[in-house]
Amino acid sequence: MERALLVSVKIKSEKSNWSIEDIAGELEELVLTCGAHIVDSITCFCEKPTANLFIGKGKADEIALLVQELKASAVIFSCDLTGTQQRNIEDIVAKKTIDRTQLILDIFARHAKSPEGKMQVELAQLQYLLPRLIGKGVILSRTGGGIGTSGPGEQRLEVDRRRIRKKIDKLRGDLKRYSQHRLTVRKKRKENAVPTVVLVGYTNAGKSTLLNALTQAGQIVSDSLFTTLDSLSKSLALPSGEHIVILDTVGFLNDLPHHLIEAFKATLEDVIDADLLIHVLDASQARVYERNKAVFTVLKELGADDKKMVTALNKVDLIEDKTRLERLKQDFINPIPISAKFGENLKELLAQIERNFAGSMVYLELLIPHSRMDLVDLFYRQGKVEDIQYLQKGISVKLNLPKTLTEKLLHSKEIKKVN
Ligand SMILES: Nc1nc2c(ncn2[C@@H]2O[C@H](COP(=O)(O)OP(=O)(O)OP(=O)(O)O)[C@@H](O)[C@H]2O)c(=O)[nH]1
Ligand SMILES: [Mg+2]
């Protein structure tokens, strides 16, 4: 097992609401998610990062001593390091040095399950690696297991830049095909006028737990970060009987590495295309406002920050101070306090989702020819049928239907609007 020494860095000149405790807390969670043993966690304040070491030389020497004393096998930083900084620190501490992006990539590599997910992670890993290669060979060759070695593997680390670029191009091409398939699925959903709701939120907020509670999806839930990497879609019946599609997505994080957002863009296209976002927020977290901000930063990067949104204030079972909850309710968009784990207030959440689609249903009285029996099935699936009569002149239906579907139907000459 990796014996990790954690170094949390706060840059004094950088304006950020994240305290050194937040930074250290998050780093610990990430490292524990990797299954490493934390031998110690130290903090480091620096005015401005230096180009060759990031931290001061004195601090680097101190880390080297600690590494020896605690028999650490890796030093893990809370910040990102350039290739040069990483190598220079490695020279001083004489153990492998891992930065934040590499740590997150490692977790993604461990959790990726689908072929697409694996490809996305590999693409991000190779993009991370490319500027870190010096000249021809690869300096970054690592021995043994542990953090920083999952993914492309030793052998691939040994190939030269050209081959990596070629591999990147191939992965991009393959991923494009997946993306096209996804596009077809989305188009079909749109043609059938099925509204889509996408669960978004900080990692570990309870998105998959909520999906399971609403749809018995059986999505894996775990108290670790980035459990879900593949988006999973399920059908969900609203109180009105209308069926919508609900999707689980990869969790966000403060300063999510850009390579990862880039690589996961295809998966996240569902977010861009959603009719409504359910932002699952862990309301029991002390840093709920910062996490909210981090989520909006990613949404903005995706171009989805102005979507209609319902905020599911999750884990209310853990909140003792009810005045805090009242304040949270005032500060977030369409807030619904819930407990996904204990199924609390989910009805209210569904009603709020429905309110957001209200107006998207239209009441109609139609007369359709018997030859279009296929539509009856569609009506039951997509709408709410109030009355249906099989007459000699055709099938008379009174129903509520999604607006988009109505518009399409009324284009057909066979279908007559009665009212
Ligand atoms: N107490 C409490 N715990 C919850 C609630 N909802 C989820 N959890 C727990 O929070 C942890 C994370 O839940 P997940 O559903 O895996 O979270 P996620 O947002 O899907 O996380 P990632 O897929 O890793 O981004 C699990 O241990 C859940 O049991 C809740 O309402 N109350
Ligand atoms: Mg999940």
Side-chain angles (χ1 to χ4, degrees):
M1 190 194 268
E2 196 84 79
R3 293 176 56 81
L5 172 65
L6 313 193
V7 184
S8 300
V9 186
K10 170 111 180 135
I11 302 160
K12 288 189 191 156
S13 57
E14 228 171 46
K15 276 203 192 87
S16 156
N17 287 332
W18 293 76
S19 67
I20 189 77
E21 289 80 19
D22 296 329
I23 296 170
E26 187 180 87
L27 183 63
E28 271 171 36
E29 272 187 69
L30 287 167
V31 172
L32 290 175
T33 297
C34 279
H37 171 67
I38 299 172
V39 292
D40 200 0
S41 176
I42 63 167
T43 55
C44 170
F45 292 88
C46 56
E47 289 296 338
K48 217 173 141 222
T50 62
N52 58 344
L53 269 184
F54 199 100
I55 51 174
K57 172 78 170 66
K59 196 76 190 178
D61 289 335
E62 192 188 317
I63 295 170
L65 270 177
L66 263 176
V67 163
Q68 275 195 341
E69 216 175 280
L70 301 167
K71 296 192 178 53
S73 59
V75 182
I76 306 183
F77 280 80
S78 66
C79 52
D80 278 329
L81 301 170
T82 62
T84 312
Q85 289 163 343
Q86 191 177 19
R87 271 191 311 279
N88 290 340
I89 296 175
E90 247 168 25
D91 282 346
I92 297 174
V93 304
K95 284 289 171 228
K96 78 176 161 193
T97 300
I98 289 161
D99 73 352
R100 186 170 186 271
T101 294
Q102 204 179 354
L103 181 63
I104 295 170
L105 286 173
D106 201 278
I107 297 176
F108 271 66
R110 283 160 198 257
H111 291 181
K113 287 192 186 65
S114 69
E116 186 186 17
K118 285 184 180 156
M119 274 193 241
Q120 287 171 325
V121 177
E122 188 173 359
L123 175 63
Q125 280 180 317
L126 292 176
Q127 283 172 328
Y128 170 84
L129 196 62
L130 195 60
R132 281 153 205 270
L133 304 182
I134 302 174
K136 275 179 104 190
V138 177
I139 295 288
L140 264 178
S141 97
R142 304 217 183 275
T143 46
I147 300 167
T149 53
S150 314
E154 283 305 298
Q155 262 195 333
R156 203 160 295 144
L157 294 177
E158 310 270 310
V159 301
D160 65 13
R161 275 172 191 267
R162 229 185 18 225
R163 280 188 55 199
I164 290 192
R165 280 216 185 88
K166 236 170 138 179
K167 179 82 193 172
I168 287 178
D169 286 345
K170 179 164 183 323
L171 282 168
R172 281 210 178 110
D174 292 346
L175 282 168
K176 212 175 197 165
R177 275 189 286 283
Y178 274 100
S179 168
Q180 263 150 8
H181 169 71
R182 216 179 270 282
L183 190 72
T184 319
V185 173
R186 273 206 304 274
K187 239 167 113 184
K188 207 158 161 207
R189 252 189 241 137
K190 268 209 176 122
E191 272 166 17
N192 288 338
V194 187
T196 308
V197 172
V198 177
L199 297 166
V200 293
Y202 213 77
T203 180
N204 217 31
K207 299 175 294 297
S208 302
T209 308
L210 180 59
L211 182 80
N212 288 347
L214 293 174
T215 70
Q216 289 83 45
Q219 184 80 317
I220 298 171
V221 164
S222 148
D223 192 15
S224 56
L225 309 184
F226 302 116
T227 309
T228 310
L229 290 190
D230 303 314
S231 48
L232 176 75
S233 64
K234 282 276 159 188
S235 171
L236 172 70
L238 292 178
S240 66
E242 186 185 0
H243 280 263
I244 62 166
V245 166
I246 184 162
L247 278 130
D248 191 9
T249 55
V250 57
F252 299 163
L253 190 74
N254 186 40
D255 282 334
L256 199 59
H258 185 75
H259 287 329
L260 269 178
I261 300 186
E262 208 41 55
F264 275 76
K265 235 175 190 155
T267 317
L268 290 168
E269 273 162 12
D270 290 321
V271 175
I272 305 165
D273 240 37
D275 295 297
L276 174 73
L277 299 180
I278 302 180
H279 177 193
V280 183
L281 202 57
D282 181 348
S284 70
Q285 262 283 333
R287 291 286 167 174
V288 56
Y289 290 93
E290 283 77 8
R291 291 190 169 200
N292 175 62
K293 204 168 150 205
V295 167
F296 270 88
T297 307
V298 181
L299 287 178
K300 194 157 189 201
E301 189 158 346
L302 293 172
D305 55 328
D306 55 356
K307 289 251 158 214
K308 270 204 282 187
M309 183 183 275
V310 169
T311 312
L313 295 170
N314 193 27
K315 308 198 188 181
V316 287
D317 55 285
L318 297 176
I319 303 179
E320 276 164 18
D321 177 7
K322 295 298 167 201
T323 53
R324 175 185 148 86
L325 188 59
E326 285 313 307
R327 217 188 85 213
L328 291 176
K329 271 163 71 179
Q330 282 170 14
D331 291 342
F332 295 104
I333 307 164
N334 294 328
I336 305 288
I338 60 157
S339 166
K341 189 171 176 176
F342 297 103
E344 234 175 89
N345 223 17
L346 299 186
K347 267 203 184 123
E348 187 45 43
L349 178 67
L350 287 175
Q352 177 70 275
I353 295 172
E354 194 163 73
R355 275 196 286 281
N356 272 276
F357 289 126
S360 69
M361 294 286 267
V362 188
Y363 178 75
L364 288 166
E365 292 181 26
L366 300 174
L367 186 68
I368 57 170
H370 290 290
S371 58
R372 294 304 310 268
M373 260 304 282
D374 58 305
L375 288 176
V376 175
D377 179 47
L378 180 75
F379 292 161
Y380 276 105
R381 271 191 290 119
Q382 304 283 325
K384 202 174 173 204
V385 177
E386 301 205 333
D387 184 48
I388 187 158
Q389 287 184 39
Y390 295 85
L391 310 172
Q392 210 163 16
K393 58 181 177 179
I395 308 168
S396 154
V397 201
K398 293 179 182 166
L399 80 172
N400 282 293
L401 260 194
K403 209 182 207 162
T404 36
L405 185 59
T406 310
E407 281 160 14
K408 241 177 291 162
L409 278 177
L410 295 179
H411 270 122
S412 160
K413 286 201 184 86
E414 294 170 305
I415 298 162
K416 285 198 193 79
K417 206 169 156 205
V418 182
N419 64 337

